[in-house]
Amino acid sequence: MERILKTLFNLNRNGFDAYLVENIEEAKTLFIDKILDTNKHLTASYADSMTMKTCGVLEYLRGLESVNVIETFSADYTQEEKIAKRREALLSDIFLTGSNAVTMNGEILNLDMIGNRVAAITFGPKEVVLFIGVNKIVDNLESAKQRIKEIAAPENAIRHTKFKTPCQGAGICLDCDSVDRICNVWTLHEKCFPKGRIKVILINQKLGL
Ligand code: SF4
């Protein structure tokens, strides 16, 4: 628990609005009661995150008449349409996703294939909400990078069966040159500017990759 509380403290010290909840149900409640403001969040969008999807917040938003959810992953879209929607998502009022690692010093590290997730976290949407399980907490940036390359990236590649990468068979990262390589863009958020634009919901469960 000490690691979690230290991470929470340092995230807030670094300008993120960070919260700690016990489980995914509490994460959803916190999002609805304390973060979502349907007077100003008229458009919402998201990037791939198993943790965020598990919390059920997308279904909740889709059920609201007052919020237009910009869908970015519909199977009905062509690749061109998906990219167009992901560009549109960068101007949403509120953007939901997750992260690959958070350090006890309150830094957030991510690795993307295309970059639509890390772009949105960095700039564009007025507010961003990151749903992060405590299994993503690591000691420092070195261990954050190690966690992503050894766990998150190969397991994500295995999850996306349409991509053909060598880690899918090997189970470990081989630093490939594949055209399907999912590891292309790193971002490090040391602090949040403007203060509070990025909300972090730390969930005291093992969630996501
Ligand atoms: S760099 Fe290539 S081999 Fe390594 S995890 Fe990413 S996709 Fe897999």
Side-chain angles (χ1 to χ4, degrees):
M1 196 58 170
E2 195 182 326
R3 286 169 61 84
I4 299 171
L5 293 177
K6 184 172 180 189
T7 306
L8 182 73
F9 176 85
N10 282 326
L11 282 166
N12 280 302
R13 182 178 61 83
N14 288 341
F16 302 93
D17 270 356
Y19 307 84
L20 174 64
V21 296
E22 282 304 309
N23 51 51
I24 54 171
E25 291 80 16
E26 284 187 19
K28 181 179 179 183
T29 301
L30 176 85
F31 171 74
I32 294 169
D33 291 350
K34 290 214 170 126
I35 296 176
L36 183 66
D37 180 346
T38 52
N39 289 317
K40 64 176 183 177
H41 297 141
L42 304 181
T43 55
S45 196
Y46 59 95
D48 195 20
S49 161
M50 293 168 70
T51 304
M52 180 274 292
K53 287 178 184 165
T54 305
C55 291
V57 286
L58 269 183
E59 287 73 16
Y60 179 82
L61 286 172
R62 287 173 179 142
L64 296 177
E65 282 189 8
S66 59
V67 179
N68 172 28
V69 178
I70 301 165
E71 299 290 352
T72 51
F73 282 88
S74 171
D76 297 334
Y77 292 154
T78 64
Q79 185 61 15
E80 275 185 4
E81 286 169 332
K82 280 183 194 166
I83 296 296
K85 285 289 181 185
R86 290 172 196 180
R87 283 163 57 89
E88 197 182 326
L90 296 175
L91 295 178
S92 58
D93 294 325
I94 189 161
F95 189 94
L96 317 183
T97 189
S99 280
N100 299 124
V102 54
T103 71
M104 287 173 61
N105 198 33
E107 302 142 320
I108 298 169
L109 194 66
N110 284 300
L111 176 60
D112 264 17
M113 180 181 194
I114 299 175
N116 58 297
R117 178 183 62 143
V118 296
I121 297 171
T122 305
F123 184 79
K126 289 178 184 161
E127 293 177 57
V128 173
V129 187
L130 303 178
F131 296 79
I132 304 177
V134 294
N135 50 308
K136 307 282 182 75
I137 294 175
V138 293
D139 289 348
N140 51 45
L141 282 175
E142 191 181 335
S143 43
K145 194 165 183 186
Q146 187 178 7
R147 180 188 190 281
I148 293 170
K149 289 301 284 186
E150 291 182 1
I151 300 173
E155 291 192 16
N156 261 317
I158 290 166
R159 182 167 72 94
H160 290 100
T161 51
K162 67 177 177 175
F163 300 129
K164 300 299 168 216
T165 58
C167 53
Q168 288 173 329
I172 56 170
C173 176
L174 297 171
D175 194 18
C176 69
D177 294 323
S178 164
V179 291
D180 287 337
R181 177 177 164 123
I182 65 162
C183 310
N184 300 311
V185 188
W186 288 92
T187 58
L188 164 62
H189 282 80
E190 291 186 340
K191 295 189 185 283
C192 177
F193 182 87
K195 190 174 184 307
R197 173 181 169 267
I198 302 174
K199 329 300 185 194
V200 178
I201 304 180
L202 279 181
I203 306 166
N204 194 12
Q205 284 181 287
K206 185 176 183 298
L207 295 161
L209 296 175

